[in-house]
Amino acid sequence: ALVDSDPKELTNYFTHITMLMTWILLAEFAGCLLSGNYITASGSINRGAIVLGMGGCNEVGFHLSMLIPVNFYGFMKGKRPYLSLVSAFAVYGATLLSTSRNSMLVGSAYFFICLILSMFVGDRKKVARIMIPCGVVAAIVGFIIFREPSLAVVQHYLARGMGASGRFRIWRDALHL
């Protein structure tokens, strides 16, 4: 049946299923963050508290960041554009909260490239030029409202930086095997 399907309908179906998967993963991640173990009494982030079915914080961040472009595609061409745009913003925020530095870096690149593309490509360019600045304002307001956990995340990244955390030694040793 999929072979005979209209490619546009198949793409819409794929973006719909991906958006549903996005919200399921976001709900599971939100439950993990709201469990009370995410931010410690000292105000630092407990990376060990982020454990979902597919692994720890790095795997969660990876899976979340991979959903950003598909949700933007759903906004640009799909049947549920506004829900897809909200999904893209939500999944980007969750990627930042995952405390995975690689996911944050890749997810940020995906997010900002998709933001720019959606303003110039697709069926909803004009809407994107209005909705995206509104989304940025909403993100800033969310940062202000949830300033304690938001600042904890920012302080976590500032304290750890984007350093290799000993990875270069591991990679060098692996090359010598």
Side-chain angles (χ1 to χ4, degrees), residues 59-77:
E59 290 80 11
V60 171
F62 165 74
H63 288 289
L64 288 168
S65 67
M66 293 295 116
L67 294 169
I68 293 170
V70 178
N71 280 293
F72 266 105
Y73 181 82
F75 168 67
M76 292 188 283
K77 302 245 182 204

Side-chain angles (χ1 to χ4, degrees), residues 39-175:
I39 297 180
T40 64
S42 66
S44 63
I45 294 173
N46 178 11
R47 289 173 52 103
I50 303 172
V51 179
L52 301 182
M54 79 274 304
C57 60
N58 288 325
E59 290 80 11
V60 171
F62 165 74
H63 288 289
L64 288 168
S65 67
M66 293 295 116
L67 294 169
I68 293 170
V70 178
N71 280 293
F72 266 105
Y73 181 82
F75 168 67
M76 292 188 283
K77 302 245 182 204
K79 288 185 177 179
R80 293 169 188 82
Y82 304 109
L83 188 56
S84 293
L85 186 62
V86 169
S87 297
F89 270 86
V91 81
Y92 177 61
T95 301
L96 295 179
L97 290 174
S98 74
T99 68
S100 170
R101 293 173 290 169
N102 289 334
S103 299
M104 181 187 75
L105 192 63
V106 171
S108 294
Y110 284 158
F111 186 73
F112 290 110
I113 289 169
C114 289
L115 274 179
I116 293 167
L117 280 175
S118 66
M119 288 195 251
F120 299 103
V121 178
D123 300 339
R124 298 172 184 91
K125 295 178 277 221
K126 291 179 184 177
V127 174
R129 292 177 187 152
I130 295 168
M131 298 271 305
I132 289 173
C134 291
V136 170
V137 169
I140 292 169
V141 168
F143 187 88
I144 292 169
I145 290 172
F146 299 106
R147 70 180 154 267
E148 185 178 317
S150 300
L151 288 174
V153 171
V154 170
Q155 288 170 350
H156 171 80
Y157 287 125
L158 291 176
R160 292 193 74 197
M162 293 302 260
S165 299
R167 288 185 181 103
F168 290 123
R169 182 180 48 81
I170 294 169
W171 295 336
R172 186 178 55 246
D173 292 345
L175 289 174

Side-chain angles (χ1 to χ4, degrees), residues 14-23 71 80 83-84 87:
F14 176 73
T15 56
H16 176 74
I17 294 298
T18 304
M19 187 172 44
L20 288 175
M21 185 180 69
T22 298
W23 284 102
N71 280 293
R80 293 169 188 82
L83 188 56
S84 293
S87 297

